[in-house]
Amino acid sequence: MVMGVRLRSALAAAAVVGLAAAAAAAIFIATAKATLTRNVDAAASQRAAEVVSALRGDDGPDLNDTLRPGAGDRSEVQVLTVAGTVIASSSGIAGQPPLSVLRPAAGQTRHEQRALGADPFRILAVGVDTSSGRRIVVVAQSMQPVIESAEVMTETLLWGMPVLVVVVGLATFLFVGRSLRPVESIRRRVATITAQQLHSRVPVPAVRDEITALAETMNAMLDRLEAAADAQRRFVADASHELRSPLATVQIGLDYLATQPVAGTGPQLQRLRAETERLGHLVADLLLLARVDENGLAPRHDDVDLDDLTYAERDRLRARHPGLRVVAAVEPVRVRGDARRLERALRNLGDNAARHASSQVTLTAWTDAGGAHLTVDDDGPGIDPADRQRVFERFVRLDGSRAREDGGSGLGLPISKEIVAGHGGGIRIEDSAGGARFHIRLPLSAG
């Protein structure tokens, strides 16, 4: 599956935000737990200071009042001797053994964390000298508020982070899509530009950004392509026009020489006349293609009987190639178009088939719901599927035809394709029992 830029950007943004949010959440929870633990230690230190003050006999509440827990207090207190004997304790742990094994020296404070029953506690032990000897004040502060707060934060983040990732992904998908709209407009316009529409230009966004630079670069490239194509078309048209006059002079000269027979020159004259005729066809083809490139075909819209054109092509091929069997299977077919140009397209296909046929060329014309159809078959070597599109390119001749003396110029099939396309149809090469089959499809005449 190929993902577009919008989807890739959205997934990348969602992944980055998800990883960053997960890391930030872990750091936030760890920091919050550390802060809450420090608060627990501060509360335990405050409670221990109150007990130490009571043990020393300072002004204030006595020891029993100090050991009595206040409202909402979740701590327990013991006063121990250095040997670990419990001297006094809060009511919640009365009669229980020492809460901790910590025995700090006087004036020192030590911490530990351990479970008392099912709940974890943060334990603070303070050493203090009294008139009765050294005592150890142990304050156990419950860690349950810290755990509950961490659980609430974790649950909130677990619910909020996927929502954040989805929102970021969707927002990125939408924003990237809006940013790529000019690119899509450029792509659609470029997809419609053909050799006959090089004057078209892609839209340039009003905002000056990278996409604007891309559009301007594309338009500059189209300017260069149009200039090069115009120069090429002018060269082909001018050269073809200039060649027609000397060609006509050569043909007249050869015709004159044919009327003045010289011993041994007959075959050479015949060969020269054939080559001159071939060169004349080439010049005519070049002129036609130059007109097609510049203005399109703009065919006439007359009623044309394809069956008549097919019979005429059959008779022409029989007269031109006496040793070739030419067969026609024709139904009455009428289309709208230019009879002269359709005849030219059919003649090119017929000459191509005759050059490659071993013994037979078959012309077929019929109609169906899809339109008018005309096929030209030969029993030659055929065309490899890999070359079936390439043969319609200009000046392309496959190796077999190039090696033959009567090989075409490589313009007949491209001209036929242009003529058929100009009539709203199409031409393709199909599989056949033997040789090649060229299939023309044209829209039927409305009448």
Side-chain angles (χ1 to χ4, degrees), residues 243-258 269 272-281:
L243 284 173
R244 298 183 78 174
S245 294
L247 263 178
T249 302
V250 171
Q251 287 175 337
I252 292 172
L254 291 175
D255 291 340
Y256 174 74
L257 290 176
L269 282 175
L272 287 173
R273 293 178 72 179
E275 289 300 319
T276 305
E277 181 182 358
R278 183 179 177 187
L279 185 56
H281 289 318

Side-chain angles (χ1 to χ4, degrees), residues 183-229:
V183 176
E184 178 62 18
S185 299
I186 294 173
R187 186 200 67 78
R188 286 198 302 266
R189 179 65 61 83
V190 171
T192 63
I193 297 176
T194 63
Q196 289 77 34
Q197 296 176 326
L198 288 177
H199 60 277
S200 298
R201 296 295 179 265
V202 301
V204 178
V207 180
R208 304 297 300 180
D209 57 10
E210 291 82 358
I211 298 177
T212 303
L214 172 64
E216 292 174 345
T217 303
M218 291 288 295
N219 285 336
M221 180 190 69
L222 289 171
D223 290 338
R224 295 191 297 271
L225 289 176
E226 184 180 15

Side-chain angles (χ1 to χ4, degrees), residues 116-140:
L116 300 179
D119 297 330
F121 278 78
R122 185 78 171 169
I123 296 175
L124 179 145
V126 179
V128 57
D129 286 330
T130 67
S131 58
S132 302
R134 185 155 61 94
R135 298 289 184 263
I136 308 298
V137 177
V138 178
V139 179

